[in-house]
Amino acid sequence: MGMKAGSAISTFITQDNFVPYFNNSFKPGIYLGLNSSFKLNSKNNFKLELLYVNKGKDDNPDDYLLVGKLSLDYLSVPLLIEHKLFKNLFLQAGSEIAVLMNSRILYNAEWLNTNRFFQTFDVGIVIGLAYQFKNRLFLDFRAIEGISRIQNGLYGYLPDFDTPHGRNRTIAFGIGYQFLK
């Protein structure tokens, strides 16, 4: 059992990366939470985490659409297999299931609630590396590619058909501490 925290940069991508409405800029965010690691054998571990993760994207407002800083707050559960590559270096791979807790967009210096425009659940594929120090500290780096549609229409302002439905894309770097080995 342990805890971890770090930074995440994320963006909101659309199918086929068709982006007439979004400029694909990355938004900085944070994550923090708890993790557990269970030894499967001498080379493999199963890792379970419970994290608060802030995702979204940063756009410059334009004259025609409601576009700005989009912030999506998730309660995320990564389920990972860690494979020991070298003495203290692990390859991580698995999935992430997340529940949307809150979504909002900053427009004209005001935060607007956008919960109804986004799906409640998000699913992603995770791949990364972790380095375990001898003093129970660890560093990890991972990429999370969303595989589920997270929006209802284009921010909800267009009908929910024939529109590019967005997915999350996130890169995270963090530090953690294992209380128990």
Side-chain angles (χ1 to χ4, degrees):
M1 182 70 145
M3 61 184 188
K4 65 186 289 186
S7 63
I9 58 170
S10 61
T11 192
F12 184 81
I13 60 170
T14 56
Q15 72 185 35
D16 303 326
N17 213 24
F18 173 70
V19 193
Y21 304 104
F22 307 109
N23 68 16
N24 271 348
S25 58
F26 283 88
K27 176 194 170 296
I30 63 164
Y31 72 88
L32 54 102
L34 303 172
N35 65 0
S36 288
S37 188
F38 305 96
K39 191 173 202 108
L40 298 175
N41 55 43
S42 64
K43 288 263 191 198
N44 298 301
N45 299 324
F46 173 72
K47 190 164 201 166
L48 172 67
E49 298 177 343
L50 179 63
L51 305 172
Y52 160 80
V53 183
N54 177 251
K55 298 180 181 183
K57 71 184 282 90
D58 254 340
D59 280 338
N60 296 321
D62 64 31
D63 297 331
Y64 304 106
L65 292 168
L66 182 64
V67 178
K69 181 181 293 219
L70 174 65
S71 185
L72 303 168
D73 298 321
Y74 287 98
L75 184 60
S76 173
V77 179
L79 305 166
L80 306 170
I81 297 293
E82 289 186 314
H83 177 73
K84 186 184 283 190
L85 297 174
F86 302 108
K87 187 174 182 174
N88 295 330
L89 184 66
F90 293 86
L91 174 66
Q92 299 176 330
S95 63
E96 172 183 88
I97 301 165
V99 176
L100 183 66
M101 298 186 311
N102 189 36
S103 74
R104 58 202 180 286
I105 192 166
L106 182 63
Y107 182 71
N108 288 338
E110 183 180 347
W111 284 103
L112 305 174
N113 183 303
T114 56
N115 286 342
R116 70 176 185 237
F117 303 136
F118 291 90
Q119 299 287 324
T120 304
F121 294 99
D122 182 28
V123 177
I125 300 295
V126 180
I127 189 152
L129 292 172
Y131 186 83
Q132 181 75 46
F133 294 97
K134 291 181 186 202
N135 62 0
R136 298 189 183 169
L137 279 174
F138 65 89
L139 297 175
D140 70 5
F141 171 82
R142 64 179 64 156
I144 303 107
E145 182 70 23
I147 59 173
S148 62
R149 176 183 91 175
I150 63 166
Q151 70 185 121
N152 298 321
L154 209 49
Y155 278 141
Y157 297 103
L158 297 178
D160 196 13
F161 55 88
D162 294 333
T163 59
H165 297 294
R167 296 179 288 118
N168 284 314
R169 178 175 285 167
T170 308
I171 297 171
F173 178 78
I175 188 169
Y177 184 79
Q178 288 294 123
F179 298 118
L180 305 171
K181 267 195 167 179

